[in-house]
Amino acid sequence: MSTTRPRYAEEAPFKIHGGCGLAGICDESGAAMSGERIILAMAVQRDRGNGLGGGFAGYGIYPEFPDHFAFHLMYHDEQAREEAEALLNEHCVVDLAEPMPTRPVKGIADAPLLWRYFLKPLPGELERLELSEEDLVVRLVMTINATVDGAFVASSGKNMGVFKGVGFPEEIGHFYRLEEYEGHTWTGHNRFPTNTPGWWGGAHPFALLDWTIVHNGEISSYGINSRYLEQFGYRCTLGTDTEVAAYLFDLMLRRHGLPLELACKALAAPLWSEIDRMPEAERELMRSLRAVYGPAMLNGPFAIILGFNGGMVALNDRIKLRPLVAARSGSVVVVASEEAAIRAVVPEPDAVWMPKAGEPTVARIEGMPWPIHGDLHLSPSEVSCAVLGTEDVCDEAVEVTA
Amino acid sequence: MPATFIQPEFRVKIDYDKCHKCGRCVQQCGWGVYDFNERPVPHDEKCRACHRCVTFCPAHCITIERNPLAYRENDNWSAPLRKAVWKQAETGGVLLTSMGNPQPYPRIFDHLLLDACQVTNPSIDPLREPMELRTYLGRKPDAVQVEPDGAGGYRLAEDGGMSRNIELATPIVFSPMSYGSVSLNVHKSLAMAAERCGILMNTGEGGLHEDLYPYQDHVIVQVASGRFGVGPDYLKRGAAIEIKIGQGAKPGIGGHLPGEKINKEVSSTRMIPQGTDAISPAPHHDIYSIEDLRQLIYALKEASGYKPVGVKIAAVHNVAAIASGIVRAGADYIYLDGFRGGTGAAPAVIRDHVGIPVEIAVAVVDQRLREEGIRNHASIVAAGSIRSSADVAKAIALGADVVAIGTAALIALGCHVCQSCHTGSCSWGITTQKPELTRRIDPEWGAERVSNLVHAWSHELQEILGALGVNAIESLRGSRERLRSIGLDEQTNRILGVKPAGM
């Protein structure tokens, strides 16, 4: 079972969402736009949330630090900050650490300490642990989230960041002064938790490395998704079902090197009856995808937007149990829970359509690399224990002896 | 002195006012309970309460009661224990019995409750939406590897997908039950039902009768310590091969089929002389270590052109470590047989006191394989008293890929669980080789009844999945989050990985 830090025990084991609103906007030409636009798209969908969580992800927002990992952290108190910073300094060179720029906003209260760091993993650490940069960052994020009480990593990618908290999204957006940022891709989320009050870390987007997920729905397969991910070293500690989607994309795209469209097919798998009717080569591929990634399949109602450095992908569940609308206006692609949100930012789109169940809607920035790292770790046992400084479970000998 | 102190367990009562005196009960009873002297006269001491006579009596005038004979009350020296001592004082032997462990140990399945959707997540209606039960049995890679197909798409890279997995239409297979322990008509019924349902039957350790060759794509052929009926042809015929190490009903014990059951057909199928006892040793005499098992697994793969090879073990104390070793030895699936699993014959002391529940075994094995990062390398088959579709769903939620049903399939064929299979006189024609009894099962009729059971449970599984708000069985598999326990202690909950109800 996944662990939850005691301070957020009321959130255990994962949040149930009633409804949510989401939006994503991407200028495929790579032209930057201010965060104001995504705030507007979310403000239109105010009724899809209840003020207990709002958030945004922006890409291309830190051009002055394009090769640094930008860590956005939330702290309950100074002690948590000291502990987390000790971990960061142990494994990385931190070139800039500063409090997150914010402004007082009516309706936003009880903000945690918000800091951001621009860092690079120490080369010596990469050699010592025999890890790639990304793997070390993943371990660092998992370690802070799982072991530092009162600290939470909101985002950890390059040239991107997540800005989220408890409040309506437009309030959160202004609190973080998003109008001062410029990015080529933005996603936003308005949360409607159905039981306990939200906590800042529990708002969307959920992020790991460059991947961010905003999600409307409920992942009914969370139990097996999280247990599957644990095999590969991921620790689901955030008290929400959405984090599994971020980790699954990281696993399939970065570590297994699957093409994006196939990863989407694994998460929102075609029905067996469809697969059986496919041409042989495609049928064999889809059979293998479903059989191998069955535990990764996201089941239940969902609409998600995956953001990454290079664009975004919007995806519905296999039988489209949650709303998702898409539109294009020139080089700008917009997706949202409601058409009204789209028309708020693109008044007269060239085309508006309803993506089909399980069919990804993709926006890609021209000239930017597609998210495949080719950095393959095909065996889960290679990265069997993601938390730094703990015993590797694989050291335990199999007790069946000759 | 009387020949025995043991009084009849049951009383056969006939309402002679209603009795047609047709003699049907005399004819139907395999145990020889009835004499006929102008009317049927029962011998209570021979009755097994199998209800064959009751079921076939056209006048419905037969009642079978537990003998109300009062034993002096004693919670420690229960009546069955006293009877067992008398029997052993009379015979000096090991007490034999059949079927699964009937003792009142906690039944963990009955302490587990499934989740359902309300409000925030719509349940899915299986009558109106697709609800997928298809399951693949076998080893899977950790990741799918693809390459561009030159037309803008992708195809599987060489060896990038599944190795030879077996497709099952529903996550249920039939447990191994040997020809010899059960009749050929039972074997045919199961093979035909497996073909109709898109699943698998399992030969058990008695070889494959040639009448089953047409169904070989739906048959797992078993290799047990006795090697009965095993040869290159046999290995090539099966859809998969299973090495039987242990059995839930009698962990650590070999097999024993009495010579009375070894008729001409059984003898030729098993490749042993007619009328001789077929005794499988407790260990395989070529497996004394995990590396020996690995050698046999690969020998069988080589012999069969690399068909999936599974290993069946009884669930015992150290099952997680044993299973891990088996998977690392190359098994494509691991069959976990819990301590309530059925059998055609076992020492009562072993059946009733050895092994652990399948619920615990599945939970710890699934978790252990995940911790070691090798859960993809083998499927888990759970068996040992899967009594209903609810048990199926709970076993899958705990981590099983597939469940195996033996006793339930026999009950579908008429078995009344009288626990007398070892006598070879089964009135229902199931666990006997007597031609006058075996003909009571028509394979066509049997296949239909067993298929009906599998279809009914599959539909119920679809209802359960729909209530859970998922539309594919893989979203329930290992999803312990969808289970809650009631009335289990904290440590058992922790071992099962299940939260108590209300949390």
Side-chain angles (χ1 to χ4, degrees):
Chain A
M1 279 188 286
S2 58
T3 53
T4 305
R5 290 161 299 154
R7 184 157 291 161
Y8 301 112
E10 74 277 4
E11 292 272 335
F14 71 98
K15 290 293 295 136
I16 294 177
H17 306 273
C20 297
L22 41 83
I25 183 164
C26 170
D27 192 329
E28 292 185 312
S29 71
M33 60 191 121
S34 125
E36 195 65 51
R37 277 182 107 177
I38 192 74
I39 294 177
L40 182 58
M42 291 313 304
V44 171
Q45 303 183 88
R46 184 181 173 94
D47 281 356
R48 300 191 71 86
N50 61 1
L52 291 179
F56 302 89
Y59 288 87
I61 57 172
Y62 292 132
E64 64 276 31
F65 287 104
D67 298 322
H68 284 70
F69 290 95
F71 269 52
H72 287 193
L73 270 105
M74 300 177 170
Y75 298 122
H76 191 274
D77 51 32
E78 285 293 339
Q79 188 191 336
R81 182 164 78 93
E82 279 170 32
E83 284 179 43
E85 287 183 357
L87 271 169
L88 294 178
N89 289 316
E90 186 183 345
H91 299 285
C92 307
V93 180
V94 180
D95 285 325
L96 177 65
E98 62 183 9
M100 191 79 83
T102 58
R103 67 159 65 91
V105 169
K106 190 173 183 304
I108 302 291
D110 300 329
L113 302 174
L114 298 163
W115 279 68
R116 68 182 172 197
Y117 306 84
F118 296 92
L119 51 82
K120 287 183 174 176
L122 284 163
E125 280 297 281
L126 299 179
E127 279 172 37
R128 185 177 70 84
L129 297 165
E130 295 183 354
L131 291 173
S132 67
E133 272 197 337
E134 286 83 7
D135 277 333
L136 182 93
V137 167
V138 171
R139 283 201 186 200
L140 199 49
V141 171
M142 298 288 149
T143 305
I144 292 171
N145 288 348
T147 65
V148 181
D149 187 23
F152 169 70
V153 183
S155 63
S156 52
K158 288 180 176 175
N159 200 6
M160 56 77 67
V162 165
F163 307 86
K164 63 184 186 178
V166 174
F168 282 100
E170 59 272 29
E171 295 163 352
I172 293 289
H174 291 131
F175 171 80
Y176 279 109
R177 298 157 59 170
L178 288 193
E179 72 281 0
E180 297 172 11
Y181 296 80
E182 298 253 308
H184 53 71
T185 304
W186 290 92
T187 63
H189 188 266
N190 188 5
R191 189 171 179 221
F192 196 130
T194 47
N195 44 13
T196 57
W199 62 287
W200 279 64
H204 299 212
F206 278 92
L208 184 70
L209 295 168
D210 293 352
W211 319 113
T212 58
I213 294 276
V214 290
H215 163 228
N216 169 17
E218 183 177 327
I219 298 177
S220 309
S221 53
Y222 170 85
I224 184 56
N225 299 148
S226 60
R227 292 188 72 226
Y228 175 70
L229 284 161
E230 280 170 14
Q231 285 193 95
F232 293 91
Y234 298 89
R235 294 286 176 269
C236 299
T237 56
L238 308 184
T240 176
D241 53 358
T242 303
E243 66 177 319
V244 298
Y247 303 161
L248 286 167
F249 274 114
D250 182 59
L251 173 72
M252 289 196 274
L253 298 175
R254 183 177 65 86
R255 286 172 57 185
H256 287 183
L258 277 181
L260 182 64
E261 50 270 57
L262 291 186
C264 289
K265 288 287 177 209
L267 294 184
L271 299 167
W272 287 120
S273 55
E274 294 172 57
I275 293 172
D276 291 344
R277 292 195 300 269
M278 291 173 178
E280 189 187 359
E282 193 184 356
R283 185 172 67 237
E284 286 312 300
L285 172 57
M286 290 314 303
R287 274 179 66 226
S288 282
L289 263 188
R290 264 202 80 168
V292 173
Y293 292 108
M297 186 163 77
L298 296 177
N299 216 318
F302 69 82
I304 55 177
I305 305 170
L306 168 76
F308 53 90
N309 263 320
M312 67 179 185
V313 179
L315 183 69
N316 258 131
D317 63 81
R318 320 201 299 152
I319 51 177
K320 198 165 171 105
L321 292 167
R322 286 291 153 98
L324 185 68
V325 193
R328 173 178 285 280
S329 175
S331 62
V332 176
V333 177
V334 191
V335 291
S337 300
E338 297 177 20
E339 196 173 329
I342 291 175
R343 292 190 183 271
V345 291
V346 184
E348 298 199 359
D350 306 335
V352 178
W353 69 95
M354 295 272 183
K356 288 198 176 93
E359 289 294 327
T361 303
V362 180
R364 357 180 1 170
I365 306 291
E366 257 171 75
M368 282 194 82
W370 203 225
I372 288 192
H373 294 242
D375 171 24
L376 302 187
H377 301 291
L378 297 182
S379 163
S381 46
E382 279 183 49
V383 193
S384 59
C385 190
V387 178
L388 291 157
T390 60
E391 288 301 308
D392 191 320
V393 290
C394 287
D395 289 347
E396 193 178 345
V398 177
E399 295 148 43
V400 180
T401 49
Chain B
M1 289 299 280
T4 179
F5 295 167
I6 302 170
Q7 296 305 300
E9 197 171 354
F10 303 102
R11 277 185 161 181
V12 183
K13 287 190 161 180
I14 300 174
D15 182 345
Y16 289 115
D17 291 341
K18 287 186 182 173
C19 176
H20 297 176
K21 304 177 181 53
C22 65
R24 182 81 62 92
C25 49
V26 184
Q27 176 200 20
Q28 289 296 327
C29 181
W31 320 104
V33 166
Y34 294 95
D35 283 339
F36 196 85
N37 186 3
E38 293 185 359
R39 61 184 194 179
V41 179
H43 296 275
D44 291 348
E45 71 279 5
K46 294 182 179 173
C47 177
R48 307 273 174 168
C50 83
H51 288 197
R52 180 80 187 182
C53 59
V54 174
T55 309
F56 280 79
C57 172
H60 302 295
C61 68
I62 304 174
T63 311
I64 294 174
E65 298 176 339
R66 179 164 293 285
N67 187 345
L69 186 69
Y71 284 77
R72 178 86 187 196
E73 281 172 26
N74 191 318
D75 276 341
N76 189 36
W77 280 103
S78 63
L81 284 172
R82 277 174 265 182
K83 287 185 204 170
V85 169
W86 287 329
K87 199 157 203 166
Q88 292 187 300
E90 288 165 17
T91 61
V94 172
L95 297 177
L96 275 184
T97 185
S98 321
M99 303 309 287
N101 185 334
Q103 301 300 328
Y105 297 104
R107 288 178 301 276
I108 292 172
F109 279 136
D110 296 343
H111 289 270
L112 294 174
L113 298 168
L114 287 153
D115 193 13
C117 298
Q118 300 292 301
V119 183
T120 63
N121 171 3
S123 42
I124 302 170
D125 189 336
L127 297 175
R128 293 170 177 79
E129 300 277 1
M131 194 58 68
E132 301 178 303
L133 299 178
R134 186 186 296 183
T135 301
Y136 284 89
L137 181 73
R139 170 177 295 255
K140 296 166 190 70
D142 292 321
V144 173
Q145 294 179 62
V146 297
E147 57 191 20
D149 64 359
Y154 297 92
R155 63 176 173 234
L156 277 178
E158 197 176 344
D159 296 330
M162 285 188 295
S163 55
R164 301 179 60 161
N165 272 240
I166 300 173
E167 187 180 300
L168 302 172
T170 191
I172 299 169
V173 295
F174 298 129
S175 306
M177 292 179 282
S178 69
Y179 171 43
S181 73
V182 297
S183 69
L184 184 58
N185 286 344
V186 169
H187 250 218
K188 286 181 187 171
S189 301
L190 294 172
M192 288 158 67
E195 185 180 62
R196 288 177 197 181
C197 298
I199 60 171
L200 296 168
M201 69 89 72
N202 188 316
T203 58
E205 62 169 295
L208 183 71
H209 192 277
E210 60 187 20
D211 287 1
L212 270 64
Y213 290 174
Y215 311 103
Q216 62 189 34
D217 291 346
H218 294 277
V219 175
I220 296 174
V221 294
Q222 200 181 65
V223 175
S225 58
R227 299 285 199 272
F228 301 125
V230 177
D233 182 58
Y234 173 76
L235 297 176
K236 287 195 172 80
R237 284 188 185 280
I241 301 167
E242 182 175 282
I243 299 169
K244 179 198 173 183
I245 298 289
Q247 187 179 343
K250 43 181 175 182
I253 298 287
H256 183 175
L257 189 68
E260 295 79 27
K261 280 186 160 185
I262 313 285
N263 61 17
K264 185 167 173 291
E265 289 287 308
V266 174
S267 115
S268 64
T269 305
R270 290 199 176 222
M271 304 174 188
I272 55 171
Q274 212 171 319
T276 55
D277 286 6
I279 298 177
S280 300
H284 285 248
H285 284 312
D286 52 356
I287 301 179
Y288 288 88
S289 65
I290 194 76
E291 59 270 31
D292 289 350
L293 175 69
R294 182 183 180 85
Q295 200 167 26
L296 181 59
I297 288 171
Y298 280 92
L300 294 173
K301 287 186 179 189
E302 287 286 342
S304 64
Y306 278 77
K307 288 190 167 162
V309 173
V311 176
K312 177 184 177 184
I313 55 167
V316 290
H317 300 188
N318 201 23
V319 67
I322 296 162
S324 162
I326 289 170
V327 173
R328 290 176 186 277
D332 296 279
Y333 72 83
I334 179 154
Y335 184 123
L336 300 170
D337 201 14
F339 81 145
R340 288 190 184 277
T343 179
V349 66
I350 302 287
R351 185 197 67 179
D352 293 352
H353 300 283
V354 180
I356 63 170
V358 65
E359 302 94 316
I360 299 277
V362 167
V364 298
V365 168
D366 174 68
Q367 183 61 25
R368 177 64 168 263
L369 298 183
R370 285 177 190 283
E371 284 169 3
E372 295 187 13
I374 54 175
R375 179 61 183 85
N376 267 13
H377 297 192
S379 296
I380 294 176
V381 181
S385 198
I386 303 290
R387 303 158 302 164
S388 67
S389 59
D391 286 356
V392 178
K394 291 169 188 178
I396 288 172
L398 286 171
D401 292 85
V402 177
V403 302
I405 58 170
T407 303
L410 297 190
I411 292 173
L413 289 171
C415 166
H416 280 54
V417 197
C418 74
Q419 302 177 55
S420 310
C421 322
H422 55 288
T423 64
S425 299
C426 175
S427 297
W428 290 89
I430 299 168
T431 56
T432 176
Q433 301 305 327
K434 295 177 182 170
E436 70 275 18
L437 297 175
T438 59
R439 69 182 184 212
R440 293 179 176 185
I441 300 257
D442 167 36
E444 242 339 296
W445 171 90
E448 186 184 355
R449 287 186 64 92
V450 178
S451 303
N452 282 347
L453 177 74
V454 173
H455 287 143
W457 283 15
S458 299
H459 286 312
E460 288 180 334
L461 271 180
Q462 291 174 320
E463 294 284 349
I464 289 168
L465 289 179
L468 288 163
V470 298
N471 51 13
I473 193 76
E474 54 259 52
S475 297
L476 175 63
R477 191 183 309 134
S479 196
R480 301 174 187 183
E481 180 50 44
R482 310 310 299 273
L483 290 171
R484 290 292 183 272
S485 74
I486 183 162
L488 292 177
D489 63 90
E490 197 177 333
Q491 190 160 18
T492 305
N493 283 337
R494 199 167 53 247
I495 290 167
L496 292 169
V498 171
K499 296 190 192 75
M503 273 185 75

